[in-house]
Amino acid sequence: MTYCVAISVKAGMVFCSDSRTNAGVDQVSTYSKMFRFDLGLERQFVVLTAGNLATSQAVITQLRNDLRQSAPRTLNTVTSISEAADYLGDISRVAQEKHATQNFLASFLLGGQIKGSEHGITMIYPEGNHIRSSKDTPFLQIGESKYGKPILDRIISLNTALESAALCALVSMDATLRSNLTVGPPIEVLLYPANSFDTHRHFRFEEDNDYLRALKKNWDAQLVEAFKLLPQMNWSASEEQADDDAI
Amino acid sequence: MTYCVAISVKAGMVFCSDSRTNAGVDQVSTYSKMFRFDLGLERQFVVLTAGNLATSQAVITQLRNDLRQSAPRTLNTVTSISEAADYLGDISRVAQEKHATQNFLASFLLGGQIKGSEHGITMIYPEGNHIRSSKDTPFLQIGESKYGKPILDRIISLNTALESAALCALVSMDATLRSNLTVGPPIEVLLYPANSFDTHRHFRFEEDNDYLRALKKNWDAQLVEAFKLLPQMNWSASEEQADDDAI
């Protein structure tokens, strides 16, 4: 499996992905799932992929080929993030239908900014349609998304600083790594400051990365401490007392 | 959906379940998913259910009828927790097959103790087979299990005190409630001290329960504080620096 999250706050966007791919237990490999489309000072896109590796690679390859060949429709011709998501969705649907007798589904997160518009992120379903993030839900996830959702729900809002959002993405990834063996390092994180048109604040954390280890250890220890400090319930009370005299 | 968790530590067992049932958005109801089989001083069982409500109710009804009618095979005749799980699995499989043209799957957690043996918990799959908890995995979950797994992974071990295990089950449930609307209160918690043959330490928390609200608020605040105290990454470093000089 895979876990990818994209966060869009006022200050910009954060993208985070793991790198484990498996086709059966004997074929566990490492593939980056983060792809940057640096189209200069007027448009920047980042794509994260989850699902069938062949489909994902076919989609990324076509996005690149279309650009190289200046096809009629490319990431250079789309006029909005939403249109970019539609374009990617069409490519994805065709790639999946080619081999439709089997399950070659893939999902994508696409984010970016086009000069004159605000930055934004989208999630593209295997069916090719997509949704955007919103004020109330400033993040989107694909793959093994549930383990890492509670911390995002608690921390991320539109006003979260970009660096805090990046840190929260790492903590969310850590929760997923810990609870699910099919998600694995290296972890990639990309910070895109709003209106920067620069996707080079890109970080790659190997399993033995010192910072990642310090982060895990610190978070683990703090959670255990926080748990100890929780208000105690009087568990010795007899049956059905909880609603009456709980504390 | 549903979320249920059973924890088996040296000190005993903890069972925790939500009470939301939905068959489509217009039919959201409240049903307890925790069933106690108090068979006296020599055997006690607790069953938690997830999945199709009709199947779950059919299974619980048959467990009770078999006892009432002193059938050849009942929770009173099984000689181990594992045999009890086999028995429940058989009933469940038959109940599901009755209506096999549709998806009426259900999963169960069954735990208990029979005099002369240690207490134990099992998870029964829709197919009727089951697994037990282990030294390394002293808890089992059914339903919407992923949101609440990270905190269990971090806190629960065989040596966890019964009261701490109960508190951790509540925190795990809180993470699930927050991230998934189809899981809802009242929350039920049952503590079974090893060798007590007493399943009456049963608590029911309504949504507006004072303790539950205090717990949520405290945990939320502590997580936000813990997040602030995490070691900071130097996110201003340029590309691909993470592995070299991260901290």
Side-chain angles (χ1 to χ4, degrees):
Chain A
M1 275 292 280
T2 292
Y3 175 47
C4 300
V5 54
I7 302 170
S8 179
V9 292
K10 283 183 189 156
M13 298 179 289
V14 168
F15 301 88
C16 181
S17 58
D18 84 310
S19 303
R20 185 157 299 171
T21 297
N22 66 316
V25 238
D26 292 334
Q27 287 194 45
V28 176
S29 337
T30 298
Y31 280 97
S32 171
K33 297 161 190 172
M34 185 182 287
F35 303 89
R36 285 177 285 170
F37 293 85
D38 176 355
L39 304 177
L41 288 174
E42 304 220 330
R43 51 179 72 212
Q44 292 283 339
F45 298 96
V46 176
V47 176
L48 307 178
T49 70
N52 184 263
L53 186 62
T55 302
S56 307
Q57 290 188 349
V59 169
I60 298 297
T61 301
Q62 185 166 347
L63 291 177
R64 284 186 176 143
N65 283 346
D66 285 354
L67 280 170
R68 211 169 286 138
Q69 296 159 9
S70 300
R73 194 186 186 198
T74 73
L75 285 177
N76 248 329
T77 70
V78 295
T79 59
S80 67
I81 300 302
S82 195
E83 202 183 318
D86 276 337
Y87 161 56
L88 191 156
D90 289 343
I91 295 175
S92 169
R93 210 165 23 79
V94 171
Q96 291 172 66
E97 281 168 3
K98 251 193 201 167
H99 313 278
T101 46
Q102 291 221 23
N103 181 350
F104 292 137
L105 300 182
S107 311
F108 299 85
L109 294 174
L110 178 150
Q113 185 169 19
I114 296 175
K115 195 98 181 175
S117 305
E118 293 206 350
H119 60 274
I121 55 173
T122 60
M123 176 171 74
I124 298 135
Y125 293 100
E127 292 76 8
N129 52 351
H130 70 271
I131 57 169
R132 298 194 63 142
S133 64
S134 74
K135 195 161 52 87
D136 296 319
T137 310
F139 62 88
L140 296 169
Q141 304 167 287
I142 53 176
E144 273 295 351
S145 60
K146 294 182 178 183
Y147 303 108
K149 186 165 183 282
I151 188 67
L152 294 167
D153 281 333
R154 282 196 172 89
I155 301 290
I156 301 292
S157 76
L158 273 191
N159 294 315
T160 304
L162 200 60
E163 289 72 18
S164 296
L167 188 55
C168 189
L170 272 185
V171 173
S172 171
M173 182 61 79
D174 177 46
T176 312
L177 293 176
R178 182 180 259 278
S179 289
N180 189 299
L181 285 178
T182 69
V183 175
I187 306 305
E188 292 181 87
V189 181
L190 191 152
L191 287 79
Y192 176 85
N195 306 312
S196 69
F197 293 92
D198 178 357
T199 50
H200 287 81
R201 279 171 73 180
H202 171 255
F203 300 82
R204 185 181 152 98
F205 299 88
E206 299 288 344
E207 188 152 23
D208 60 353
N209 175 272
D210 287 340
Y211 175 71
L212 202 58
R213 288 168 74 153
L215 181 70
K216 273 167 185 279
K217 204 172 152 185
N218 184 299
W219 185 242
D220 271 6
Q222 286 206 71
L223 283 193
V224 172
E225 279 311 302
F227 184 79
K228 284 185 195 154
L229 294 174
L230 283 173
Q232 296 299 309
M233 167 78 189
N234 177 12
W235 293 113
S236 61
S238 60
E239 182 158 15
E240 302 289 324
Q241 294 304 297
D243 286 329
D244 309 325
D245 51 3
I247 300 187
Chain B
M1 275 293 278
T2 292
Y3 175 46
C4 299
V5 55
I7 304 170
S8 180
V9 293
K10 283 182 191 156
M13 299 180 289
V14 168
F15 301 87
C16 182
S17 58
D18 83 311
S19 303
R20 186 157 297 173
T21 296
N22 66 317
V25 237
D26 293 333
Q27 288 193 47
V28 177
S29 334
T30 299
Y31 281 97
S32 170
K33 297 161 190 172
M34 184 181 288
F35 302 90
R36 285 176 285 170
F37 294 85
D38 176 355
L39 304 177
L41 289 172
E42 302 221 331
R43 51 179 71 211
Q44 293 282 340
F45 298 96
V46 177
V47 176
L48 307 178
T49 70
N52 184 264
L53 186 62
T55 301
S56 308
Q57 290 187 351
V59 169
I60 298 298
T61 301
Q62 185 166 348
L63 291 177
R64 285 187 176 142
N65 283 347
D66 284 355
L67 280 170
R68 210 168 288 138
Q69 296 159 8
S70 300
R73 194 185 186 200
T74 73
L75 286 177
N76 248 330
T77 70
V78 295
T79 59
S80 67
I81 300 302
S82 195
E83 202 184 318
D86 276 338
Y87 161 57
L88 191 156
D90 288 343
I91 294 176
S92 168
R93 211 165 23 79
V94 171
Q96 291 171 66
E97 280 168 3
K98 252 193 197 166
H99 313 280
T101 46
Q102 291 220 26
N103 181 351
F104 292 136
L105 300 183
S107 311
F108 300 85
L109 294 174
L110 179 150
Q113 185 169 19
I114 295 174
K115 196 99 180 175
S117 305
E118 293 207 349
H119 62 274
I121 55 172
T122 59
M123 175 171 74
I124 298 136
Y125 293 100
E127 292 77 8
N129 52 350
H130 70 271
I131 57 171
R132 296 194 64 142
S133 63
S134 73
K135 196 161 51 92
D136 297 321
T137 311
F139 62 88
L140 296 169
Q141 305 167 288
I142 53 177
E144 274 295 352
S145 60
K146 295 183 178 182
Y147 303 109
K149 186 165 183 283
I151 188 67
L152 295 166
D153 281 333
R154 281 193 172 90
I155 300 290
I156 301 292
S157 75
L158 272 191
N159 293 315
T160 304
L162 201 59
E163 290 71 18
S164 296
L167 189 55
C168 189
L170 272 185
V171 173
S172 171
M173 182 60 79
D174 177 47
T176 311
L177 293 175
R178 183 179 258 279
S179 290
N180 190 298
L181 286 179
T182 69
V183 175
I187 306 305
E188 291 181 87
V189 181
L190 192 151
L191 287 78
Y192 176 86
N195 307 312
S196 68
F197 293 93
D198 178 356
T199 51
H200 286 82
R201 278 170 76 179
H202 171 255
F203 300 83
R204 185 182 153 100
F205 299 89
E206 299 288 344
E207 187 152 24
D208 59 354
N209 176 271
D210 287 340
Y211 174 71
L212 202 58
R213 288 168 74 154
L215 181 70
K216 275 168 185 278
K217 204 173 153 186
N218 184 298
W219 185 241
D220 271 7
Q222 286 206 71
L223 283 193
V224 172
E225 280 312 302
F227 184 79
K228 284 184 193 153
L229 293 174
L230 284 173
Q232 297 299 307
M233 168 79 191
N234 177 12
W235 293 113
S236 61
S238 60
E239 183 159 12
E240 302 289 324
Q241 295 304 296
D243 285 328
D244 308 327
D245 50 4
I247 300 188

